[in-house]
């Protein structure tokens, strides 16, 4: 979604805002803009459609001195991505400027009322109503005006507001989308996410839903929507700004692909003992409930839904109760049976995805136990949960998910083993065998990434293909879908993932010598069935690329190109099998010259339904 940043303090705001926006651009890149209070007490606003570079090239270093200031990078919802609809937006007086991430659901009725009262609207956005609504409530107290205005709106928002009467203040507020306050030395910050302000402070306050923050250089006061002052903890960020830099890689995507062995190691830390036993202490508080449940739904969107799909297979097999994947955007409106004997596991890298949050809230209302798997400490999803399992993967900046997917699968595998241990559905020696296999994954992932040169050559050969088909069976099926999604996102090449056995029921009609088929054909119980499906495709002259297990001496009868990955137990194999697909998608994207880190039309976290 959008990214917002704000600064109040003795330094010039503009460079801080622009650098902050650069680090938030993964959240949306339809337009960028800043507002700065100048030395003569006026609000300077500059905003441009397109990426941040359009704004910075336009400014050409010529930004006004002074502050405070606010900045915004947009993922368009209401109104075209043009200069006029870009944020910040101003009120009629030009004294107030505002930035917003989210959607104001009742903006049409508020706008009609404000227009009737004589307010002049310039943009097509829902956001602009907030600027004018706060204007109507303003009688000298900016915090009170923001509070009164927000009392009339419905929807989701993280906002930053400044006013020329208040050169020592920015006001932020949050509802259903993230906003943090940074506590600097004699300065204060607002941001959608930590990287925007990490080079200035490691001390942040994660605002709660309904919080209004009065940020000044000397401190921050936080009020709830009813006006009572509330106390929030300060969190110390434990990673450095280098983690949010490319570190010599041409793209964040590639850096994050190569970070996976380390991310896996971090995810395993404290969860799988040297003897292979698996225990997630985060789940201790819900142990009694986990013993009682009789079904499991695992919910996520996009890539996270594929990780959820892998988990559904494993929980069903290892724990012996019905377990299904639910796509977040569908589950709320067509909910399965939910009660106190249901476990719902929410999976979200960002922890902000509205389509995932909504069904989790519904499930909680109906009494289900909620466990979430997320990468972002303190994110909205954690507040909807009875227990939280963090990915511990470090920040993921590239819009297309790689290391978050791999660690989502891994954490879910550990949750499945934990459940099996807790409920006695798997002998402890078998759990330990899996645990020991998990402990080999950092090494095996590093070994698999060494296949990059072979995969790059393949990518260059197939970069011109118009369509790709990916197939897999069992836990390989979600991996096929993730491989196809990665290719679509990164390279804009049309790709579909199918259950290998389904190929003959229709999609096989798509195959021809111009349509490569990528088959997940690693060793497992149904390897031979997959091999038959691959043979069926080969018989239709499709070029076949197989992901197979080292030592497989059969697969090259069916596939012209084989990428051999290290052997793992079948249940663990998705963590390794997906790595070549990530590299394939990345290299095809590079060969086609697409915007790898910020693919068109996408945003890293989608905070609207
Ligand atoms: C991943 O490559 C995608 N950009 C997207 O499918 C993503 O996984 C999805 O939007 C869910 O995001 P989340 O994990 O932050 O909830």
């Amino acid at each position: 979604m959008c990214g917002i940043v704000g600064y109040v303090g003795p330094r010039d705001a503009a460079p801080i805002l622009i650098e902050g926006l650069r680090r938030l651009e993964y959240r949306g890149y339809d337009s960028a803009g800043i507002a700065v209070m100048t030395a003569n007490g006026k609000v300077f606003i500059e905003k441009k459609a397109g990426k941040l570079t359009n704004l910075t090239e336009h400014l050409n270093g010529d930004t006004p001195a002074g502050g405070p200031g606010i900045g915004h990078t947009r993922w368009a919802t209401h109104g075209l991505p043009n200069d006029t609809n870009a944020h910040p937006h101003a009120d009629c007086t030009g004294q107030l400027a505002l930035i917003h991430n989210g959607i104001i659901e009742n903006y049409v009725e508020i706008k009609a009322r404000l227009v009737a009262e004589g307010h002049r609207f310039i943009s097509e956005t829902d956001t602009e109503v907030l600027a004018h609504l706060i204007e109507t409530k303003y009688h000298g107290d900016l915090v009170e005006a923001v509070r009164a205005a927000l009392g009339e709106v419905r929807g989701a928002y993280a906002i930053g507001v400044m006013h020329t009467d208040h050169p020592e203040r920015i006001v932020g507020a949050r509802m259903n989308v993230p906003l943090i306050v940074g506590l600097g030395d004699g300065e204060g910050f607002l941001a959608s996410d930590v990287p925007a302000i990490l080079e200035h402070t490691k001390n942040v306050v994660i605002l709660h839903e309904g919080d209004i923050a009065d940020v000044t250089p000397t401190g921050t006061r936080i009020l709830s929507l009813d006006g009572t002052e509330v106390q929030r903890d300060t969190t110390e960020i434990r990673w450095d700004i280098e983690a949010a830099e490319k570190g010599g890689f041409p793209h964040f995507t590639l850096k994050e692909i190569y970070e996976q062995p380390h991310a896996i190691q971090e995810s395993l830390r404290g969860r799988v003992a040297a003897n292979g036993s698996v225990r997630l202490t985060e789940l201790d508080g819900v142990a009694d409930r986990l013993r009682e449940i009789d079904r499991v739904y695992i919910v996520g969107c996009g890539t996270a839904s594929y990780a959820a799909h892998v988990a559904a297979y494993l929980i069903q097999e290892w724990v012996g109760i019905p377990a299904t994947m639910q796509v977040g955007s569908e589950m709320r409106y067509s909910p399965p049976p939910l009660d106190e004997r249901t476990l719902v596991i929410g999976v979200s890298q960002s922890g902000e995805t509205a389509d995932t949050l909504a069904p989790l809230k519904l499930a909680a209302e109906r009494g289900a136990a909620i466990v979430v798997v997320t990468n972002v400490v303190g994110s909205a999803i954690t507040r909807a949960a009875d227990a939280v399992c963090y990915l511990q993967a470090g920040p993921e900046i590239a819009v297309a998910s790689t290391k978050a997917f791999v660690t989502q699968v891994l954490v879910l595998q550990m949750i499945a083993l934990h459940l099996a241990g807790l409920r006695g559905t798997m002998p402890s020696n078998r759990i330990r065998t899996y645990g020991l296999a998990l402990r080999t994954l950092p090494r095996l992932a590093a070994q698999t990434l060494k296949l990059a040169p072979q995969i790059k050559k393949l990518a260059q050969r197939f970069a011109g293909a118009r369509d790709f088909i990916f197939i897999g069976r069992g836990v390989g099926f979600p991996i096929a879908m993730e491989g196809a999604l990665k290719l679509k996102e990164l390279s804009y090449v049309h790709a579909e993932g199918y259950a290998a056995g389904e190929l003959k029921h229709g999609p096989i009609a798509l195959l021809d010598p111009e349509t490569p088929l990528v088959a997940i054909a690693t060793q497992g119980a149904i390897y031979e069935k997959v091999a038959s499906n691959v043979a069926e495709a080969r018989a239709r002259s499709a070029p076949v690329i197989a992901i197979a297990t080292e030592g497989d001496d059969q697969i090259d009868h069916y596939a012209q190109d084989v990428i051999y990955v290290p052997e793992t137990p079948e249940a663990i194999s998705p963590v390794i099998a997906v790595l070549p697909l990530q590299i394939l998608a990345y290299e095809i994207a590079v060969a086609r010259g697409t915007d790898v880190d910020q693919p068109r039309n996408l945003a890293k976290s989608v905070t609207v339904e």
Side-chain angles (χ1 to χ4, degrees), residues 300-304 347-353 356 399-402 408 482 485-486 489 602-606:
C301 293
T303 285
V347 187
S348 172
Q349 188 285 132
S350 63
E352 292 176 32
T353 302
T356 304
V399 167
S401 188
T402 53
Q408 282 165 353
E482 170 61 4
L485 179 66
K486 220 74 313 166
E489 286 186 297
L602 296 179
K604 181 81 182 146
S605 52
V606 185

Side-chain angles (χ1 to χ4, degrees), residues 346-390:
V347 187
S348 172
Q349 188 285 132
S350 63
E352 292 176 32
T353 302
D355 285 327
T356 304
L357 286 174
L360 286 181
K361 284 182 186 155
L362 176 78
E365 278 161 27
R366 298 200 179 167
I370 311 291
V371 170
V372 300
V373 175
T374 184
N375 202 25
V376 179
V377 175
S379 55
I381 202 171
T382 64
R383 283 193 251 290
D386 298 306
V388 181
C389 301
Y390 285 109

Side-chain angles (χ1 to χ4, degrees), residues 7 86 112 139 173 307 324 340 356 358 367 406 476 506 522 592 597:
Y7 173 75
H139 308 291
T324 52
E340 49 295 323
T356 304
V406 157
T522 45
R592 293 174 70 100
D597 281 342

Side-chain angles (χ1 to χ4, degrees), residues 87 181 199 290 375 416 477 541 545 600:
H87 302 210
V181 175
E199 67 180 300
L290 296 181
N375 202 25
F477 170 34
S541 303
I545 303 167
R600 67 186 180 201

Side-chain angles (χ1 to χ4, degrees), residues 524-582:
I526 43 174
Y527 166 79
E528 282 168 9
K529 303 272 183 223
V530 179
S532 303
N533 301 139
V534 173
E536 289 150 19
R538 187 71 204 111
R540 272 79 190 173
S541 303
V544 176
I545 303 167
I547 312 297
T549 307
E550 281 170 1
D552 180 341
D553 55 5
Q554 296 297 309
I555 195 72
D556 59 355
H557 298 151
Y558 312 112
Q560 295 97 321
D561 291 288
V562 184
I563 299 165
Y564 292 100
V565 297
E567 185 169 6
T568 59
E570 183 180 5
I572 309 297
S573 64
V575 170
I576 296 300
V578 75
L579 303 178
L581 306 185
Q582 296 170 343

